[in-house]
Amino acid sequence: MSSFYNEAKFLISDGEQMRIDTYAVGRKTMQQSDAFKGTFYENFTLVYALPLSNHDNSSLMLIAGFYALLFMFGTCGNAAILAVVHHVKGQDPRSRHNTTLTYICILSIVDFLSMLPIPMTIIDQILGFWMFDTFACKLFRLLEHIGKIFSTFILVAFSIDRYCAVCHPLQVRVRNQRTVFVFLGIMFFVTCVMLSPILLYAHSKELVMHEKVDLDQEVITRMHLYKCVDDLGRELFVVFTLYSFVLAYLMPLLFMIYFYYEMLIRLFKQANVIKQTLVGRRSGGEEKKLTIPVGHIAIYTLAICSFHFICWTPYWISILYSLYEELYQDTKSTASPPTYAFIYFMYGVHALPYINSASNFILYGLLNRQLHNAPERKYTRNGVGGRQMSHALTTNTRPEYSELIAIPSSSCRPDSRVSAMIHNNNNNTESLPLAQNISNMTNKDSATIVPMPMSANVDGNEIYNWITPDTESVIL
Amino acid sequence: MSEISLNETLQRTPPPQQPLQQKSLFLKMDASTEFEIYREHYSRVMASINATMCQEQPDGILYCPNHTGGPVWVRNVYPPIQELQPKVLIVVVVFVLCFIVGVCGNSSIITIIRGVVEDRRKRMKRHGDNAILYIGALCVCDFVMSLSLPPAILDSVIGFWIFGTTMCKVHHVFGSVGRIASTFLITAMSFDRYVAVCYPHHHRLRSRTFVISTIACLSSIAFVLLLPMLTYASAKEMVLHELKAHESANITRVRVFKCSDMMPGPIFYWFTSTTFILGYVVPLILIVYFNLKLINKLYAHKRVLPRSAIPVRRVVVYTVLIAAVYFVCWTPYWFSVLYAIIMSLLGKPTTNSEWVLFAIYCVHLLPYFGSSSNWILYGLLNTQLQMKNDIGDDGQSIMTTNGVQDLPRRSTSRLICDAGATSSRSIPTNNTPLWQNDSTLTRGNSDTSMVFYQDTEQTHL
């Protein structure tokens, strides 16, 4: 009679990890199976049982705890960023058309969705088997992979957005809201196409781990469990893995490196030109205020690329390694079971993408000064309004415009300085007139033909053309 | 042991799902009621091994040398996992939704409040509505209460407690925060709103010091009330079966753990009574009283000044909604708790109806539902979070208007230098200051009504 509570050690394989666990077989259901009709076991009772959970394993509990912290951090952080962005857009009407904030919103939503399957992962780890059904399995895989593909695409679009803001500030059409949403829609469609094999084939698969026959009692005991598996065929698995690696990891990484590199090169050039312009005209103190913080931007950009690389490279290396194992599995007739250290290492490697999704809001949201500039901008405007518009105050708040004011000093009376500043302020909020655009282009051509003269007759439009509001918005 | 006895024992295995759920429903019942429930489904006669006398071997097996009939080796195992029943699945899904909405919503409101407070500090505005501190504290309490949901979810999915005694204490304390501290803060907010409308000149009752002191005092009272839970809660071991292999000294012991408060009878009754009175009855009475006073005051004000800008209907709907949500979430819960206590006192058996147990399970979901939606009522729908910014915007626009007042002369002088390209822009600019000036003059009718108007305006939610 004690056979109903036997214990056995099984080597469990769930596609990505190997695990050795002890199971106690218990009674679950009794049914007459037609599979044995006509055989010796025709009159036997078939008993199914689910395995015992492996929550006594403290290491697995630690891993589950870590995943739980990751889930809390990711969901709360992304939700908080969404709340802050919504708050900022409510306060400052100008920020409603900011494409950077739009990308941050979509990124937070996608990362939030990619956090939702973590509870299922935790229960799967604690119990050791999948206790939900096929629909939950498909949903689980969909949410899990969206974070890996669509989120990466958004990061690339984000880098393109910044590249255009710095290198092509006058091409306004590239960075308006409609283009952004069209771009996001296309990327989402590509993501769905890439994930369609997963959605089609993912299901909750029953695995019979152990079967015992009791001749005296005429009972067959089966210990079975369910696993959420992709169950792609061999060739389809290879194809899926390879194009996922190329399209969702390799190309995005190269694109990010290229666009951020171009952006930094451009910013360095601008910073050098501005420094040369200011050498013979201003003291050192004011020179620092006008310099673009290229170092700060460079560190920020390197942090973004390095973080992405660190989180995704080990994951994809492990995927390719399992692909290699899949391809050359026949040649290794006697594969030894993996050690516990290897299993836990794989757990850590597969947690890295979740760490990336849980932390994206820090790099792209929390450290982004645009979310903090909104209140400060209001305060600055309040300061300007509260005091008289003295020349010194104007210089402190808008250093680059004092340069414009100083240029036409001989053509008008002293009052015209303030009116010139107001004129440029109007240009900030409205699109440039066509004549202004043509004159800017003409000045650009003249600048390329003749080197920048180091004289007092520096054309203000050249400086204005470089330090545009779009460029300012990228200075984090 | 005879085979007949083993057969009967094994046949009783299928029902354990129901008493496990039943046990988790009545977390506040005492040991005698527990015995009442378990006696019908389990054989406690076989629980003859005193686990405290055993020594643990390196491989996890217990060696019990003093057992009757000779030394035995005992292996402790857990029962197999049962598949989710549809009703349990519904409860689990609701738990998960409450957890996600509660955790994310509260953290979002806390983030916004932190931004608003920082923004206020930058503007050197020290005199402002301090009710926002109550909202922040309430979001923290609800966040902490939501943290007790994951263990409850796993307890429902797996069927027994797997986290040990320390986590059991933390789970109970976090789960009880909503019953005391959160309720206290809701009551304090009702008082704050009542003072703002009925006694607008009593600034001391709404000062920052008073608000912070109130929050600290209520937190201390809540902590003292929760001390019995923190002291006695533990993971209790329940033995389901002991199976002895034939002609062997090996025993397999199937047992589970349940996270229970484990309070002695008198302490349990005292704890439940104080929690019920101070955590439910008194707050309910105070909330109803303060809000009725507030509504009466607003209606009186409406009668005196029919054209007042105060949206009385919206305030009334909001206030009634607050009281109604509190009542709906907590009254069924407390009724079920009192019902269980009375049944245990009278010695009557509790109901075995499956649907009644499911209903009681849903009733115990209501406090979590209230906790996860408090941030909607008090945070998201609260226009104070936006009105502060609106007032700031108005202030800034006034300052900008003052700045614009100087522009016409400069623009006029600019016409001399340029060909008059911006002459069409200066005309609309001239119109704006006059309108702003008119509204400013309208607002400054009298100081007395201005003070009352501003204080009441901040309560409009």
Side-chain angles (χ1 to χ4, degrees):
Chain A
M1 295 306 296
S2 63
S3 61
F4 288 107
Y5 286 97
N6 278 353
E7 297 185 6
K9 294 182 183 297
F10 297 104
L11 181 66
I12 307 299
S13 169
D14 59 358
E16 290 177 346
Q17 299 109 18
M18 305 290 290
R19 178 170 58 242
I20 300 176
D21 266 311
T22 303
Y23 290 98
V25 184
R27 180 195 299 264
K28 172 183 174 292
T29 57
M30 304 180 65
Q31 65 191 26
Q32 295 290 338
S33 175
D34 293 338
F36 299 118
K37 190 171 288 297
T39 64
F40 173 76
Y41 306 104
E42 184 171 5
N43 295 322
F44 278 44
T45 303
L46 198 57
V47 176
Y48 283 94
L50 285 172
L52 185 66
S53 62
N54 52 15
H55 50 272
D56 269 353
N57 193 331
S58 59
S59 300
L60 280 183
M61 293 301 287
L62 282 180
I63 291 174
F66 174 73
Y67 269 78
L69 284 181
L70 211 55
F71 172 78
M72 293 285 300
F73 191 68
T75 49
C76 292
N78 283 295
I81 289 297
L82 283 171
V84 169
V85 170
H86 178 74
H87 198 63
V88 167
K89 287 193 173 184
Q91 287 192 54
D92 193 358
R94 186 167 59 170
S95 64
R96 287 175 192 160
H97 303 287
N98 193 331
T99 53
T100 304
L101 291 185
T102 303
Y103 280 125
I104 292 174
C105 273
I106 303 297
L107 181 66
S108 293
I109 292 173
V110 173
D111 283 339
F112 182 89
L113 290 178
S114 66
M115 290 282 108
L116 293 185
I118 289 187
M120 292 179 178
T121 303
I122 293 171
I123 293 180
D124 190 58
Q125 288 168 354
I126 291 180
L127 297 185
F129 58 92
W130 184 259
M131 71 181 308
F132 309 105
D133 56 357
T134 295
F135 174 77
C137 178
K138 289 180 185 290
L139 186 65
F140 169 75
R141 291 297 182 189
L142 174 67
L143 293 176
E144 185 184 21
H145 285 89
I146 275 189
K148 294 173 181 173
I149 299 179
F150 194 39
S151 181
T152 304
F153 286 168
I154 293 173
L155 299 188
V156 174
F158 200 79
S159 65
I160 295 173
D161 180 79
R162 290 188 162 161
Y163 164 80
C164 290
V166 171
C167 297
H168 304 288
L170 294 182
Q171 297 186 11
V172 184
R173 191 177 58 187
V174 181
R175 299 182 69 238
N176 63 3
Q177 291 286 328
R178 188 168 174 278
T179 305
V180 167
F181 283 115
V182 169
F183 203 21
L184 289 171
I186 293 174
M187 290 190 298
F188 185 71
F189 177 76
V190 172
T191 302
C192 290
V193 170
M194 292 176 65
L195 289 177
S196 52
I198 295 289
L199 289 178
L200 287 176
Y201 291 98
H203 70 282
S204 178
K205 183 177 184 180
E206 181 186 11
L207 303 171
V208 177
M209 308 305 301
H210 179 63
E211 187 176 90
K212 181 172 182 177
V213 179
D214 193 331
L215 296 181
D216 298 335
Q217 302 293 327
E218 291 191 349
V219 171
I220 299 175
T221 303
R222 276 183 176 172
M223 193 190 77
H224 70 165
L225 56 80
Y226 296 93
K227 276 295 178 182
C228 178
V229 296
D230 299 341
D231 223 17
L232 304 173
R234 184 189 180 101
E235 292 78 15
L236 187 52
F237 174 73
V238 171
V239 170
F240 175 80
T241 304
L242 285 182
Y243 76 68
S244 295
F245 171 72
V246 172
L247 292 178
Y249 170 72
L250 200 59
M251 287 176 61
L253 189 64
L254 296 179
F255 279 146
M256 285 174 71
I257 292 175
Y258 170 77
F259 286 118
Y260 280 129
Y261 178 77
E262 289 290 325
M263 187 187 78
L264 288 177
I265 292 296
R266 186 55 174 265
L267 287 176
F268 273 112
K269 288 182 180 178
Q270 290 185 8
N272 287 333
V273 170
I274 292 171
K275 281 184 179 178
Q276 291 175 7
T277 305
L278 294 175
V279 161
R281 303 179 58 83
R282 294 285 176 180
S283 61
E286 291 179 354
E287 179 181 340
K288 290 182 180 178
K289 293 180 179 178
L290 193 56
T291 307
I292 301 173
V294 184
H296 186 270
I297 297 176
I299 292 174
Y300 175 82
T301 307
L302 287 178
I304 288 177
C305 291
S306 302
F307 187 67
H308 187 76
F309 185 83
I310 288 171
C311 286
W312 287 98
T313 304
Y315 172 81
W316 281 109
I317 288 179
S318 67
I319 293 291
L320 293 182
Y321 176 75
S322 63
L323 179 64
Y324 172 81
E325 289 288 327
E326 180 82 13
L327 286 177
Y328 300 100
Q329 189 176 6
D330 297 336
T331 60
K332 300 182 178 180
S333 57
T334 56
S336 62
T339 62
Y340 278 105
F342 180 77
I343 291 173
Y344 295 133
F345 174 75
M346 293 301 284
Y347 267 124
V349 164
H350 282 258
L352 286 174
Y354 287 118
I355 294 174
N356 184 44
S357 293
S359 307
N360 268 338
F361 76 92
I362 296 179
L363 282 174
Y364 292 90
L366 208 58
L367 298 182
N368 193 330
R369 286 189 191 177
Q370 292 180 35
L371 291 179
H372 301 286
N373 278 345
E376 291 177 5
R377 196 173 299 149
K378 284 179 179 294
Y379 186 73
T380 305
R381 221 161 53 188
N382 190 11
V384 171
R387 303 184 188 182
Q388 297 177 358
M389 291 189 175
S390 64
H391 182 72
L393 183 60
T394 306
T395 304
N396 287 331
T397 54
R398 295 283 181 173
E400 63 271 20
Y401 296 135
S402 64
E403 193 63 30
L404 300 177
I405 295 167
I407 294 171
S409 58
S410 60
S411 60
C412 296
R413 284 180 289 177
D415 285 343
S416 64
R417 293 183 182 179
V418 180
S419 59
M421 189 197 73
I422 296 166
H423 178 69
N424 286 298
N425 272 330
N426 288 332
N427 282 338
N428 283 336
T429 56
E430 300 173 2
S431 62
L432 296 176
L434 185 59
Q436 199 76 18
N437 265 323
I438 296 176
S439 63
N440 283 336
M441 295 175 67
T442 306
N443 290 326
K444 265 188 169 180
D445 292 335
S446 64
T448 55
I449 296 172
V450 180
M452 180 69 65
M454 294 302 156
S455 63
N457 288 330
V458 172
D459 197 336
N461 287 324
E462 282 291 345
I463 299 177
Y464 169 76
N465 187 30
W466 287 335
I467 310 174
T468 58
D470 289 337
T471 304
E472 191 183 49
S473 68
V474 181
I475 301 174
L476 307 172
Chain B
M1 301 174 184
S2 63
E3 289 189 354
I4 298 175
S5 168
L6 281 176
N7 263 321
E8 290 175 357
T9 307
L10 288 176
Q11 285 173 2
R12 293 171 185 170
T13 308
Q17 190 67 33
Q18 184 166 345
L20 289 178
Q21 300 180 45
Q22 199 171 5
K23 179 63 187 67
S24 63
L25 288 171
F26 296 93
L27 292 177
K28 305 299 173 290
M29 287 182 292
D30 55 5
S32 62
T33 310
E34 286 178 12
F35 184 78
E36 290 284 338
I37 292 178
Y38 279 91
R39 188 180 60 184
E40 302 173 6
H41 304 281
Y42 297 113
S43 172
R44 305 293 292 271
V45 181
M46 298 174 62
S48 56
I49 294 179
N50 190 358
T52 58
M53 304 297 296
C54 302
Q55 309 163 12
E56 185 165 350
Q57 303 292 312
D59 55 354
I61 297 179
L62 301 176
Y63 175 65
C64 310
N66 299 324
H67 182 59
T68 307
V72 293
W73 286 264
V74 178
R75 181 193 304 272
N76 283 320
V77 299
Y78 289 95
I81 305 296
Q82 306 297 326
E83 290 193 6
L84 282 176
Q85 305 298 322
K87 295 188 187 64
V88 180
L89 186 60
I90 292 173
V91 171
V92 167
V93 168
V94 174
F95 267 150
V96 171
L97 288 179
C98 284
F99 171 72
I100 293 179
V101 171
V103 158
C104 295
N106 282 299
S107 62
S108 299
I109 297 297
I110 290 169
T111 305
I112 290 180
I113 287 175
R114 180 173 165 274
V116 169
V117 169
E118 284 187 350
D119 189 51
R120 189 182 293 178
R121 188 178 303 136
K122 285 178 181 175
R123 298 178 185 184
M124 299 299 179
K125 290 186 177 179
R126 298 181 181 276
H127 305 288
D129 187 12
N130 292 304
I132 202 169
L133 297 178
Y134 285 128
I135 298 172
L138 178 66
C139 288
V140 171
C141 288
D142 288 334
F143 186 90
V144 168
M145 184 172 176
S146 296
L147 289 183
S148 72
L149 275 168
I153 293 168
L154 282 176
D155 191 65
S156 301
V157 168
I158 298 176
F160 45 87
W161 186 260
I162 62 175
F163 300 108
T165 294
T166 302
M167 282 298 295
C168 180
K169 291 178 187 289
V170 172
H171 166 67
H172 269 294
V173 169
F174 279 12
S176 299
V177 161
R179 291 190 292 154
I180 300 180
S182 184
T183 305
F184 285 170
L185 288 167
I186 290 173
T187 309
M189 272 193 281
S190 296
F191 171 76
D192 181 81
R193 204 172 295 117
Y194 159 78
V195 169
V197 171
C198 298
Y199 302 98
H201 301 291
H202 290 194
H203 295 294
R204 195 179 50 191
L205 289 180
R206 305 182 69 233
S207 66
R208 186 184 181 90
T209 304
F210 181 84
V211 170
I212 294 179
S213 302
T214 302
I215 293 174
C217 188
L218 294 178
S219 301
S220 303
I221 294 175
F223 179 74
V224 169
L225 288 174
L226 286 171
L227 274 180
M229 185 71 74
L230 189 59
T231 304
Y232 289 99
S234 68
K236 181 177 180 179
E237 189 182 45
M238 313 291 297
V239 179
L240 305 184
H241 285 294
E242 284 183 357
L243 302 171
K244 187 171 188 298
H246 188 57
E247 295 182 358
S248 166
N250 295 330
I251 292 181
T252 300
R253 196 156 165 266
V254 185
R255 77 348 182 177
V256 296
F257 290 96
K258 291 306 287 183
C259 180
S260 175
D261 51 71
M262 300 294 294
M263 280 188 248
I267 294 182
F268 171 72
Y269 294 129
W270 179 85
F271 174 79
T272 306
S273 301
T274 53
T275 306
F276 175 67
I277 293 173
L278 294 180
Y280 172 71
V281 174
V282 170
L284 185 63
I285 293 174
L286 290 179
I287 287 172
V288 171
Y289 172 78
F290 289 141
N291 287 314
L292 282 180
K293 282 286 189 175
L294 183 146
I295 292 173
N296 286 336
K297 183 70 174 183
L298 288 179
Y299 272 121
H301 177 79
K302 194 74 173 182
R303 265 185 261 106
V304 172
L305 298 174
R307 295 184 178 178
S308 172
I310 301 174
V312 178
R313 178 171 289 104
R314 192 167 66 122
V315 173
V316 169
V317 170
Y318 179 79
T319 306
V320 171
L321 191 62
I322 287 178
V325 167
Y326 178 80
F327 185 83
V328 167
C329 287
W330 287 102
T331 305
Y333 168 83
W334 279 111
F335 269 61
S336 66
V337 170
L338 296 183
Y339 169 78
I341 291 177
I342 292 173
M343 287 297 107
S344 68
L345 285 174
L346 297 180
K348 296 181 178 178
T350 53
T351 175
N352 289 323
S353 170
E354 186 174 343
W355 285 103
V356 174
L357 290 178
F358 180 68
I360 293 175
Y361 217 116
C362 293
V363 160
H364 281 246
L365 284 173
L366 288 173
Y368 289 109
F369 182 76
S371 170
S372 66
S373 61
N374 269 339
W375 63 273
I376 299 175
L377 278 177
Y378 296 93
L380 206 60
L381 297 182
N382 193 333
T383 52
Q384 288 181 32
L385 289 179
Q386 285 91 31
M387 285 184 67
K388 280 298 159 188
N389 299 315
D390 290 341
I391 293 175
D393 284 339
D394 288 342
Q396 287 193 349
S397 64
I398 291 174
M399 304 304 285
T400 309
T401 305
N402 292 335
V404 171
Q405 282 176 347
D406 297 332
L407 290 181
R409 284 167 284 181
R410 307 293 170 84
S411 297
T412 306
S413 62
R414 191 175 183 281
L415 289 176
I416 301 172
C417 304
D418 293 336
T422 60
S423 61
S424 61
R425 292 177 184 173
S426 59
I427 295 176
T429 307
N430 285 327
N431 291 337
T432 309
L434 298 178
W435 180 81
Q436 292 288 340
N437 283 331
D438 288 340
S439 64
T440 305
L441 288 176
T442 305
R443 290 182 187 175
N445 278 334
S446 68
D447 290 336
T448 304
S449 69
M450 175 59 69
V451 171
F452 176 77
Y453 181 82
Q454 282 182 348
D455 284 341
T456 309
E457 193 182 51
Q458 290 174 352
T459 318
H460 289 171
L461 312 176

